[in-house]
Every structure is written in C-alpha cells, then in structure tokens.
Amino acid sequence: MSNFTQSQLEKAMDISEIPIVANQVLYHPYKDQSELQQYCAANEIALTAYSPLASVASALNC
C-alpha cells in the first residue's frame, strides 16, 4: 500500500484475500504518523517511511 490511512487499510484488509504487509507513508519529524504506526504494528503491517529527513518546505509547513 502507499499513503493508506487507517480506515483505508481496514477496508483493504476486509476485501483482500492476500495479507497486507506494508504501507509506505510520508513520515518525518514534522509529520507525526505515530497512531498509524501503532495500528500497523498491531496488525503486522510494516510502516515504511518516505522522505524521513523531511525538507525545508516541510519544516516551514509549506
């Protein structure tokens, strides 16, 4: 999966015959995804961060 929210993951798990094993999301010091990370961990879904070091635009909330 890519950029799926918790509710989107729940729907996908309900209809998929294949287990969902990863969700790649924007995750860095300026974008807290801890709730999603906890949900993924509880459901054995690896949460993969992209842009983990952020950027100047992220730091400025642009």
Side-chain angles (χ1 to χ4, degrees):
M1 306 279 104
S2 180
N3 296 310
F4 271 46
T5 63
Q6 180 177 332
S7 62
Q8 291 170 323
L9 284 171
E10 290 169 351
K11 290 176 187 176
M13 289 188 302
D14 285 343
I15 62 173
S16 178
E17 295 179 14
I18 301 168
I20 295 171
V21 297
N23 186 24
Q24 183 183 41
V25 298
L26 181 64
Y27 196 127
H28 53 70
Y30 304 109
K31 176 70 173 169
D32 181 29
Q33 296 272 29
S34 58
E35 285 187 34
L36 182 59
Q37 183 181 28
Q38 291 172 3
Y39 176 80
C40 287
N43 288 280
E44 299 182 350
I45 301 170
L47 189 123
T48 305
Y50 70 82
S51 194
L53 299 178
S55 67
V56 174
S58 296
L60 298 174
N61 291 319
C62 295

